[in-house]
Amino acid sequence: MSISTIGIIGAGTMGNGIAQACAVVGINVVMVDISEAAVAKGIATVGGSLERLLKKEKITAADRDAALARIKGSTSYDDLKSAQLVIEAATENYDLKVKILKQIDSIVPADVIIASNTSSISITKLAAVTSRPDKFIGMHFFNPVTMMALVEIIRGLQTSDATHEAVQTMAKALGKSPITVKNSPGFVVNRILVPMINEAFFVLAEGLATPEDIDAGMKLGCNQPIGPLALADMVGLDVCLAVMEVYLSEFGDSKYRACPLLREMVAAGHLGRKTGQGVYKY
């Protein structure tokens, strides 16, 4: 299956990042959001990002102009009819995603693949609300999309081999390095990453070391670019806690119990960078 046009639902951080990644390699994009303002903001973000690449001499002015020309902004789902693949990149909310997916499903031709950029919601469950569960798949891009090489391709129970192959080929065409994952809470990366962050909070709570030394230890000893506590502040402590709660309820295993210190900090409103205070002050 040849993919020349991709539809993207959501012009926010993930949506406009995916749009840019597609446009720079010659794929046409239809980026849909609920308001003209949201669409304009998404396209402006891509423009700013391409401008920075131009200043660093990573692309030419002609490259920038060609990439921007490939992105069409819209508030109408009807414009998705020209796409061979539609990626839903809306907020991480099950009910919202179901509403959007049903809308896409009712409009685009029966042979179009639908993907979700979810980082935590069951692909099998989302596939089941469409009339084409065999053509439904997870494409979990990582932020910032334009910099991060990884895409987790998540197969639901119903995903066909042909769908998987088409999406894997497309991810490689974007210059990404895809990994294939079975449907399970947190998939692969977050399943390992968030419990590691949670364990760092246990280490902190037990007073084994200062936050600075815990982060330095993991950076210098495990070659991580950022320590787990600083990363928690970047992700948001409330997000880390919510993910741990999903794991505990889905797996029913006490090893996914959230650290009481993490709960306490979220209760205090110390959520990290977005509130100016988490493990560290900002």
Side-chain angles (χ1 to χ4, degrees):
M1 181 188 190
S2 171
I3 296 172
S4 57
T5 301
I6 288 179
I8 297 169
I9 306 294
T13 304
M14 297 307 288
N16 68 57
I18 297 166
Q20 180 178 328
C22 293
V24 295
V25 298
I27 297 171
N28 294 316
V29 176
V30 178
M31 186 165 64
V32 176
D33 211 314
I34 50 172
S35 69
E36 295 284 0
V39 171
K41 188 180 174 189
I43 291 174
T45 301
V46 174
S49 176
L50 292 171
E51 201 60 46
R52 287 190 293 278
L53 290 173
L54 178 62
K55 282 182 179 157
K56 290 177 183 169
E57 299 184 349
K58 298 268 177 78
I59 59 170
T60 65
D63 292 334
R64 175 201 60 196
D65 296 345
L68 276 173
R70 289 187 193 107
I71 302 173
K72 175 187 178 179
S74 174
T75 56
S76 171
Y77 278 60
D78 283 335
D79 287 330
L80 298 170
K81 287 178 181 172
S82 61
Q84 294 84 43
L85 167 67
V86 178
I87 302 171
E88 169 275 309
T91 311
E92 197 70 352
N93 175 298
Y94 175 73
D95 293 332
L96 175 65
K97 287 190 187 289
V98 166
K99 185 182 167 195
I100 289 169
L101 292 172
K102 284 183 172 176
Q103 213 171 331
I104 299 167
D105 190 43
S106 68
I107 286 170
V108 301
D111 61 341
V112 173
I113 294 170
I114 303 176
S116 175
N117 178 54
T118 180
S119 58
S120 67
I121 298 169
S122 167
I123 296 302
T124 297
K125 201 171 168 186
L126 291 176
V129 308
T130 74
S131 65
R132 63 189 87 196
D134 61 312
K135 292 187 176 66
F136 192 88
I137 200 163
M139 283 191 86
H140 180 210
F141 289 84
F142 286 74
N143 191 22
V145 176
T146 53
M147 306 284 288
M148 300 292 274
L150 182 66
V151 179
E152 282 184 315
I153 298 178
I154 304 106
R155 296 189 68 149
L157 197 62
Q158 317 93 316
T159 308
S160 72
D161 291 343
T163 297
H164 172 253
E165 280 168 31
V167 169
Q168 189 175 46
T169 300
M170 201 281 298
K172 287 177 181 173
L174 297 182
K176 301 300 181 190
S177 301
I179 63 170
T180 297
V181 181
K182 284 182 184 173
N183 186 58
S184 180
F187 312 132
V188 165
V189 175
N190 287 336
R191 169 82 176 271
I192 297 168
L193 178 68
V194 183
M196 182 195 76
I197 289 173
N198 190 53
E199 198 62 32
F201 275 91
F202 275 115
V203 169
L204 179 63
E206 289 166 24
L208 298 186
T210 64
E212 292 80 5
D213 281 354
I214 292 167
D215 278 350
M218 292 304 289
K219 282 163 69 179
L220 300 172
C222 297
N223 206 24
Q224 294 182 351
I226 183 171
L229 297 172
L231 181 59
D233 277 355
M234 192 189 288
V235 170
L237 270 59
D238 53 335
V239 175
C240 294
L241 176 59
V243 171
M244 288 305 294
E245 310 230 283
V246 167
Y247 293 170
L248 186 63
S249 69
E250 292 283 331
F251 294 117
D253 189 329
S254 63
K255 75 177 181 180
Y256 296 113
R257 178 176 69 95
C259 176
L261 176 61
L262 176 59
R263 286 188 185 283
E264 189 81 355
M265 291 178 75
V266 171
H270 296 169
L271 308 183
R273 290 191 183 196
K274 60 188 170 188
T275 58
Q277 168 80 59
V279 176
Y280 301 100
K281 270 198 169 73
Y282 297 90

